[in-house]
Amino acid sequence: MSLPHAILTALLEKPSSGLELTRRFDRSIGYFWSATHQQIYRDLGKLEEAGLIRALPSAQPARGRRKEYEVLPAGRAELAGWVGRSEDPKPVRDALLLRLRAAAVVGTEGLEAELGRHLDLHRRQLAEYEDIEKRHFPPERDAAGDRLRHVVLRGGIELERFWIGWLTEALAEIGGLPPAPRPR
């Protein structure tokens, strides 16, 4: 049930319309919990039906206006309960890791270029995270909420550093392998 919790978190930070939520997911929450426009709207409807959020009253006519949502006390209680619940880590499920394992039995043709492409993507993501850190988390920004958001960003930075190191090592291993025998 993590997408509804991500939506509750975003709405507690700032009441928003579905479109605004989608944009915010693209700029922040989406870095670690992605969702499509359709998924967000579907879950907004479910959260509203469950009495966890409500559409704010508007002076404009209902037709054609964007609904802006806020979290109700039951939604805040649900989110607070979820934060404290125990949950085991999810197993890693990454196609690139599986492809590397498969290369051990079928050969590495094309894999070096794909690992290089992933390395470039992770380098760009790291640069983006570091830029966000510089812009949004100066040392004087020390409120509790800011510190926790910064910890999340630091987690993303460290994950990107891990992938860059691991991909660099994997590329060195592939580069040092003898050519694969041709299939008969």
Side-chain angles (χ1 to χ4, degrees):
M1 189 169 157
S2 293
L3 178 56
H5 293 109
I7 292 170
L8 288 170
T9 299
L11 289 175
L12 278 169
E13 290 174 344
K14 180 181 182 244
S16 305
S17 68
L19 181 60
E20 291 167 334
L21 277 174
T22 300
R23 289 179 180 152
R24 288 173 58 208
F25 265 73
D26 289 344
R27 289 189 320 264
S28 62
I29 291 174
Y31 286 120
F32 55 91
W33 196 268
S34 62
T36 66
H37 186 79
Q38 293 84 2
Q39 290 170 318
I40 290 170
Y41 274 95
R42 182 193 67 224
D43 279 14
L44 280 170
K46 288 179 183 178
L47 289 167
E48 190 172 24
E49 283 177 27
L52 302 178
I53 65 171
R54 73 174 178 130
L56 290 170
S58 174
Q60 298 176 332
R63 185 170 170 80
R65 75 167 169 93
R66 286 190 276 180
K67 282 186 186 178
E68 193 167 273
Y69 295 93
E70 71 175 353
V71 177
L72 295 171
R76 180 181 281 278
E78 168 57 33
L79 187 60
W82 178 73
V83 166
R85 275 187 216 128
S86 176
E87 187 174 296
D88 292 339
K90 301 289 181 241
V92 173
R93 190 175 168 179
D94 190 294
L96 186 62
L97 297 174
L98 183 57
R99 289 164 65 192
L100 200 61
R101 178 73 183 254
V105 292
V106 298
T108 61
E109 189 172 328
L111 187 58
E112 192 168 358
E114 181 64 356
L115 290 173
R117 188 178 75 79
H118 276 254
L119 180 58
D120 289 341
L121 290 170
H122 285 287
R123 285 179 174 152
R124 284 199 300 266
Q125 189 64 63
L126 176 61
E128 187 173 342
Y129 285 166
E130 289 174 337
D131 182 55
I132 290 169
E133 184 177 41
K134 269 188 237 161
R135 284 184 289 126
H136 296 287
F137 297 101
E140 64 275 5
R141 195 169 172 182
D142 199 30
D146 290 333
R147 290 169 62 189
L148 291 176
R149 282 186 280 278
H150 192 197
V151 165
V152 172
L153 179 61
R154 295 290 311 153
I157 288 170
E158 292 305 319
L159 281 171
E160 294 306 323
R161 287 180 178 158
F162 161 78
W163 281 112
I164 290 166
W166 182 84
L167 286 161
T168 301
E169 183 182 322
L171 281 163
E173 284 294 326
I174 288 175
L177 294 175
R182 296 259 179 226
R184 295 182 209 169

